[in-house]
Amino acid sequence: MIENLIIISLIGLVAGFILSIPAGGPTSIVIFTSALKGKINYCHQVNLGAALADLVYAFISMYGFAKFWPTFNLYVPYISIGGAFFILFISIKILNSVFRIPEENSIDPNKQLNVKYQNGYLTGVLLGFLNPGLLMSWMGSSLLVLTLLTSYGFNASGLDQKLRTEVNLAESNQYGEKDTTFTNQASKSNENLKAIENESTVSIDRNQLLLSIFYAFSVSIGSITWFYYASKLIVKYREKFNDKIVFRIIQSLGIALFLVGLVIGYKGIIML
């Protein structure tokens, strides 16, 4: 079991790092925008806040989705709309911000080191938790990870079959489809899972819990690692560009974030 925990932790670390690289999400846009402004402390705070959402959603997607989804699904439209308003608010602040790269000689390193940017952690938490799509994306990626691992002989204690069934059920409930193929697959997965659970229900549940916890923590660490070094690199090399170029990049990211907010809000409205 220890070997399995080490493997799932390493895979979670890699998954969290790689899946955080795409720059189209609200969290990455806010972090990169703040990095271009030199707000490295704020970037780290947003990073840690968003990682908490990654940890919780990754754990739920692996272990507790079947119990959590029926209740969570009822509030998804309202969470999406609330998240859209928050993202739109952040994007407007970015678009209205005044930016200027300070002269190198005018920077006091000691003073810069002690600058604190408030509410960064809270911003990261809200950006993560007010994005319901994050849970579904972690479900899909977690299922892919487990499927690949089990194909190479990894013992997931039935967690892969459990997650596959839950993904099918979630998709069926979301789109209202009644596909006989899906029904047969779900029934077959349930039968296989029950057969495994009958062997040792307590042992399997404990193993699933441990695998889910280790995976979720590793995912969050991988995400933190990517944004930590990415933001430091942006802050380090931002002075290579002049004010106008950086300002245009920031404005472009603000517009992209505004569009993301509109899309999330639209999805929430049509789900009502």
Side-chain angles (χ1 to χ4, degrees), residues 6-239:
I6 294 174
I7 293 174
I8 200 71
S9 297
L10 292 175
I11 295 298
L13 187 67
V14 174
F17 187 91
I18 293 177
L19 294 175
S20 298
I21 292 177
T27 300
S28 57
I29 292 176
V30 170
I31 289 178
F32 294 157
T33 302
S34 301
L36 286 169
K37 296 179 180 179
K39 299 180 180 180
I40 190 64
N41 291 337
Y42 186 81
C43 291
H44 295 335
Q45 290 173 20
V46 174
N47 184 12
L48 290 175
L52 177 62
D54 283 330
L55 188 153
V56 173
Y57 279 157
F59 174 77
I60 290 173
S61 71
M62 273 282 199
Y63 184 76
F65 186 81
K67 298 178 181 178
F68 180 77
W69 180 251
T71 301
F72 181 78
N73 191 38
L74 297 174
Y75 299 99
V76 166
Y78 307 102
I79 295 174
S80 296
I81 294 173
F85 276 112
F86 181 70
I87 292 172
L88 291 174
F89 171 74
I90 297 294
S91 66
I92 291 173
K93 286 188 66 176
I94 291 174
L95 292 171
N96 290 333
S97 63
V98 177
F99 172 77
R100 184 180 67 84
I101 297 178
E103 297 293 335
E104 186 174 355
N105 295 333
S106 67
I107 299 177
D108 182 351
N110 296 323
K111 185 177 180 181
Q112 287 291 106
L113 187 64
N114 295 322
V115 171
K116 294 183 179 179
Y117 299 96
Q118 301 299 324
N119 300 322
Y121 182 79
L122 179 60
T123 298
V125 169
L126 292 176
L127 285 172
F129 282 109
L130 291 178
N131 183 9
L134 186 62
L135 176 58
M136 296 303 297
S137 65
W138 275 121
M139 276 201 68
S141 59
S142 299
L143 177 59
L144 177 62
V145 167
L146 284 179
T147 300
L148 290 174
L149 286 176
T150 52
S151 68
Y152 285 98
F154 179 79
N155 181 14
S157 300
L159 191 59
D160 57 319
Q161 297 179 28
K162 173 182 175 182
L163 182 56
R164 188 176 295 108
T165 300
E166 292 171 359
V167 169
N168 289 335
L169 289 172
E171 291 177 348
S172 177
N173 292 334
Q174 182 177 1
Y175 298 106
E177 298 175 352
K178 295 184 178 180
D179 187 359
T180 55
T181 302
F182 152 74
T183 303
N184 293 334
Q185 289 176 345
S187 299
K188 191 172 182 180
S189 296
N190 276 324
E191 290 174 3
N192 293 335
L193 182 57
K194 287 179 181 179
I196 296 173
E197 288 179 342
N198 288 335
E199 295 177 5
S200 179
T201 304
V202 176
S203 176
I204 289 175
D205 188 66
R206 183 190 62 206
N207 291 346
Q208 291 178 351
L209 178 61
L210 286 174
L211 288 170
S212 301
I213 290 174
F214 275 72
Y215 177 75
F217 270 103
S218 300
V219 161
S220 63
I221 293 173
S223 175
I224 289 173
T225 302
W226 159 251
F227 284 119
Y228 176 82
Y229 286 106
S231 58
K232 288 196 72 172
L233 283 173
I234 293 174
V235 169
K236 181 178 180 179
Y237 293 106
R238 72 192 182 98
E239 293 182 10

